[in-house]
Amino acid sequence: QDRLSQLVGLFKDRTEHKKDKLLDPDESEEEGSSPSTSDHIKGVIFLCLTDLIYVIWLFFVVTAWNWNMWLIPVRWAFPYQTPENIHLWLLIDLTCDLIYVTDILVFQPRLQFVRGGDIVVSKWGGEYIYVYIYTHKNLSLCPPPPFCFQYMVFNEFNDRMEAVMKKAYIYRVIRTSTYLLYSLHINACLFYWGSAYEGLGSTKWVYNGKGNAYIRCYYFAVKTLITIGGLPDPTTVFEIIFQMINYFVGVFAFSIMIGQMRDVVAAATAGENYYRSCMDSTVKYMNSYNIPREVQNRIKTWYDFTWKSQGMLDEQELLVQLPVKMKLDVAVDVNYAIISKVALFQGCDRQMIFDMLTRLKSVVYLPGDFVCKKGEIGREMYIIKQGEVQVVGGPDLQTVFVTIKAGSVFGEISLLAGGGGNRRTANVKAHGFANLFILDKKDLADILVHYPESQKLLRRKKADDKNLDKVEVIPPKSESPKLFRAALKVAEQAGIEGAFAKLRKACK
């Protein structure tokens, strides 16, 4: 009866809770979730999976796990564990078990994990320990040691190493090679066990008991799994079955290893293969249309320099899959220090500057390429990221008036010109290889629609200095002094020829 009364009370409480939730969902959810959330998170140490400290700890756990995975088969098959040295083996085993228990009780319960989109951390690791104990009890009457459950940590360590390494493909090659060596290691242990089962030296096929047992058995495993051949023929049924299984496993294992190695190499060279494919397609196109050799060489040079300097042909392709917020974070870190120095945009809304950063395009110019020419309609602003550009003039456009270095900006007033834009007032060409950021006029107009105050500020700056974008490459010639002109006139009237007359002709 007491149990029945308790159940009735629980049903009443549940009914009241559902009723309150229907009347005011927001308030009921807040009241129901706040206490458990605060109790749940309070006092918990959060460890990020890419944290260096956690990766170092995983290294120790994986080292202990590899010790057991490599040495347990050796101790089982070879007579290396003796009563004289068993205390050393047990000491190392206990040390490894201590690392496993520390990982289970200290580190794993304090990791963040996602459930239904929420970051969840169990204060005492109850869920993790319960799963471990439940699995531990149901595997067998004699539970296996803790290292059997650390294979997940091994996979996690591989993922973390690839995340923190700059060249992850190197680690993938090492890991794949280790898989191959481990398969040979297991085969060597099995061969010694089979030889001991048949009797050491009983036939020509088994190990004869001479020399280093592990090295000789490993040599047998290499020749068998790689199917080199040259081994004695098996004589007994056991030896024949063992050798057949070896051959089948060798073919299957090595086909997997070769496939994995091919995938690793393909992933490591995917970017370079894409670059080569683009260049080959471009060269094929130019040859089909008989493009001049000089132009082809410049295009090849552009491909080569762009790839070597950036590691990619288009920076936008790298960020196309990122969310808008992450694209903005990358753009701020890369470009904000440069764009913030532009006097035209100082005082504008900070968010407008951030939006502008995502619209910048990186373009590489070869030595001698013209960035803009005098008389062209200005539709872009240029920011020098790397290299130098020169303002040139003269009849052959070889006279250098100004050299603009990295971090400088030119052409910014062209973005604000109305009525179809204003014309460039100078010729600008790249001096050496130059990497420029370009901001298009249309992109700026789309941004300013959402920032009217910044738009007014930019128009006011343009009205205050209409000639900000004009580069005065040759100053006007100053007028000759009156006394000097009078002296020239007297010299002419007196018929004096010489220095004064020549000087007069030069001043005309």
Side-chain angles (χ1 to χ4, degrees), residues 31-61:
E31 291 176 355
S33 60
S34 297
S36 60
T37 304
S38 59
D39 295 339
H40 186 69
I41 299 179
K42 183 178 180 181
V44 175
I45 301 175
F46 291 91
L47 292 177
C48 179
L49 292 180
T50 55
D51 190 357
L52 183 60
I53 297 177
Y54 181 61
V55 175
I56 294 175
W57 170 252
L58 286 180
F59 171 77
F60 287 107
V61 178

Side-chain angles (χ1 to χ4, degrees), residues 275 279 298-315 362-366 386 433-435:
Y275 153 70
M279 175 178 276
R298 291 183 63 82
I299 292 176
K300 293 178 182 178
T301 304
W302 179 88
Y303 269 106
D304 184 65
F305 176 79
T306 303
W307 175 256
K308 289 182 178 179
S309 61
Q310 299 181 169
M312 64 196 74
L313 298 178
D314 187 2
E315 291 183 351
S362 178
V363 178
V364 174
Y365 290 88
L366 301 183
Q386 183 182 7
F433 292 94
N435 192 345

Side-chain angles (χ1 to χ4, degrees), residues 175-188:
R175 185 181 62 194
T176 304
S177 301
T178 304
Y179 291 157
L180 173 60
L181 296 177
Y182 185 75
S183 63
L184 296 173
H185 169 78
I186 295 298
N187 188 265

Side-chain angles (χ1 to χ4, degrees), residues 339 342-350 352-353 356 381 412-418 439-441 443-468:
I339 201 70
V342 181
L344 181 66
F345 300 118
Q346 292 180 357
C348 293
D349 192 295
R350 185 181 180 88
M352 188 210 77
I353 302 297
M356 190 186 306
M381 176 190 76
E412 62 268 30
I413 296 303
S414 299
L415 300 181
L416 303 175
L439 178 63
D440 190 77
K441 181 177 181 179
D443 292 334
L444 180 62
D446 295 339
I447 295 173
L448 290 179
V449 171
H450 306 286
Y451 302 95
E453 296 298 329
S454 298
Q455 187 175 16
K456 294 178 182 178
L457 177 62
L458 293 177
R459 288 178 178 175
R460 188 163 55 249
K461 287 186 177 182
K462 179 177 180 296
D464 293 339
D465 192 355
K466 295 182 179 180
N467 298 320
L468 183 63

Side-chain angles (χ1 to χ4, degrees), residues 483-492 496-508:
L483 182 61
F484 185 67
R485 284 184 294 172
L488 291 177
K489 187 174 182 180
V490 172
E492 183 181 0
I496 301 175
E497 296 291 340
F500 282 105
K502 294 179 180 179
L503 187 60
R504 178 179 179 277
K505 293 179 181 179
C507 294
K508 284 185 178 182

Side-chain angles (χ1 to χ4, degrees), residues 32-46 108-128:
S33 60
S34 297
S36 60
T37 304
S38 59
D39 295 339
H40 186 69
I41 299 179
K42 183 178 180 181
V44 175
I45 301 175
F46 291 91
Q108 297 298 332
R110 286 166 170 78
L111 290 179
Q112 300 176 358
F113 64 94
V114 179
R115 175 188 292 167
D118 297 329
I119 298 178
V120 181
V121 180
S122 181
K123 185 173 181 180
W124 300 108
E127 297 181 8
Y128 182 87

